[in-house]
Amino acid sequence: MQTTVLRIGTRGSPLALAQAHETRARLMAAHGLPEDAFSVEVITTSGDRIQDRPLSEAGGKGLFTKEIEEALLAGRIDIAVHSSKDMPTALPGGLALSAFLPREDPRDAFIGKTANSIMELPRGATVGSSSLRRQALILRMRPDIKVASFRGNVQTRLRKLQEGIADGTILALAGLKRLGLQSIVTDLMPLEKFPTAPGQGAICIESRIGDARVEEMLAAINHAPTAQALACERAFLAALDGSCRTPIAGYAVIDGDRLAFNGLVIAPDGRRAHGVSSEGSAVDAAELGRAAGEKLRRDAGAHFFDDWS
């Protein structure tokens, strides 16, 4: 009988804890284990501590994973639960993404204070967002709007909105649903006009390569279609050398054994953008993503990236 506690590493925000608890619940159900067979270990990351400037200026995506991965490599935790869109494309040696939970709705959600949608906002209104992708897409829709940088967890950003710092903000619908806050959404952003970040809506689980016990446990909860979609999206990001400094969107849809992918790179001011679409067999997910990224880099040209990197 399984008696060893499986230690789950996570950030301490309400959303991160909700994701860790979902992972625990799925493992409990898959293996018939009690809750006390698991412990949830909260680890503060650099990204949590840095609140005075955009992450793109502080070092990028790895700021939300570095300390958790260090604990995983040191054996202080057995698995790490992350938001997939926070994960750098290159992982530390000895670690791998071993499982993905079923993806939640990946769309972005607008929460308006003075209007229900971006298009209904008055000229010169302010929208808060810390995401360069969201900022660029907002400006593409409404060049007259001011974009303010909103850092912090979901609750912090919503408090800033209530304090009147902005007229609206955009958050991932998946996170709001996991927190039971979907009722505050005033408008949903359609994927064709407001394409999502690679990995958005998907929870991933990281573990040590070669840890057979953990790999066996995680295999039981891995959602293969989500894993295929993320293999495509992460390969697309890697081909573009995507980081927090790069306004990139990309989303793969799995339909049976087929995969369809749409990607976009956009200048921070929203005035220039290049898109790519591809489809093929889902088993070739990573290759499809890599090829799409390379095509987009060729089509956009090196100067497009140099202008704002």
Side-chain angles (χ1 to χ4, degrees):
M1 180 177 176
Q2 173 74 41
T3 55
T4 303
V5 170
L6 188 80
R7 297 161 298 174
I8 303 171
T10 177
R11 295 167 60 201
S13 73
L15 178 56
L17 289 171
Q19 294 178 160
H21 293 161
E22 179 179 342
T23 300
R24 179 179 64 188
R26 289 180 181 274
L27 285 167
M28 289 167 57
H31 298 287
L33 292 169
E35 187 173 302
D36 61 9
F38 304 87
S39 66
V40 175
E41 308 291 336
V42 173
I43 299 170
T44 301
T45 69
S46 301
D48 297 312
R49 288 192 292 267
I50 298 170
Q51 295 292 325
D52 60 343
R53 60 194 189 277
L55 289 179
S56 57
E57 298 176 4
K61 291 186 177 186
L63 294 172
F64 281 131
T65 61
K66 179 176 179 288
E67 287 81 1
I68 298 175
E69 289 173 331
E70 288 173 349
L72 188 56
L73 285 168
R76 296 194 299 273
I77 57 174
D78 299 303
I79 63 173
V81 178
H82 306 283
S83 294
S84 294
K85 71 176 181 179
D86 289 339
M87 297 302 293
T89 53
L91 301 180
L95 300 182
L97 299 184
S98 304
F100 294 86
L101 303 189
R103 193 176 207 164
E104 184 51 91
D105 191 322
R107 289 177 293 175
D108 281 311
F110 180 74
I111 300 99
K113 181 175 173 64
T114 60
N116 286 336
S117 71
I118 286 179
M119 298 311 295
E120 294 173 17
L121 287 169
R123 285 187 62 82
T126 299
V127 176
S129 175
S130 61
S131 159
L132 294 185
R133 173 190 60 89
R134 288 172 182 153
Q135 291 176 7
L137 291 171
I138 290 166
L139 292 172
R140 182 166 72 162
M141 293 176 66
R142 289 286 305 273
D144 61 292
I145 279 181
K146 300 172 185 175
V147 180
S149 181
F150 261 24
R151 282 294 321 282
N153 61 36
V154 170
Q155 287 76 9
T156 299
R157 298 184 202 190
L158 293 176
R159 187 183 72 247
K160 290 179 179 179
L161 184 62
Q162 290 304 311
E163 290 171 352
I165 297 174
D167 299 288
T169 189
I170 294 178
L171 297 170
L173 176 62
L176 294 172
K177 290 181 75 171
R178 290 184 176 119
L179 291 169
L181 295 173
Q182 60 266 41
S183 63
I184 69 172
V185 174
T186 58
D187 193 30
L188 284 175
M189 313 303 292
L191 288 174
E192 59 272 16
K193 289 185 178 181
F194 212 89
T196 191
Q200 186 157 305
I203 297 170
C204 65
I205 305 169
E206 190 176 22
S207 65
R208 290 182 294 273
I209 295 172
D211 191 333
R213 176 182 74 95
V214 169
E215 288 173 357
E216 181 181 356
M217 292 185 72
L218 294 179
I221 64 170
N222 182 52
H223 188 248
T226 299
Q228 289 175 322
L230 268 291
C232 177
E233 293 170 26
R234 287 178 57 78
F236 172 72
L237 261 184
L240 288 172
D241 193 25
S243 71
C244 268
R245 297 188 65 85
T246 317
I248 293 174
Y251 180 57
V253 177
I254 306 293
D255 185 4
D257 61 355
R258 303 294 293 175
L259 179 149
F261 174 78
N262 287 286
L264 180 82
V265 62
I266 183 169
D269 62 8
R271 294 180 180 178
R272 293 175 296 153
H274 295 272
V276 64
S277 298
S278 62
E279 59 179 276
S281 172
V283 298
D284 299 323
E287 174 57 26
L288 287 168
R290 183 192 63 77
E294 291 178 351
K295 182 180 187 303
L296 192 53
R297 181 172 281 280
R298 290 194 302 270
D299 291 349
H303 291 300
F304 181 85
F305 296 88
D306 292 343
D307 285 347
W308 43 265
S309 61

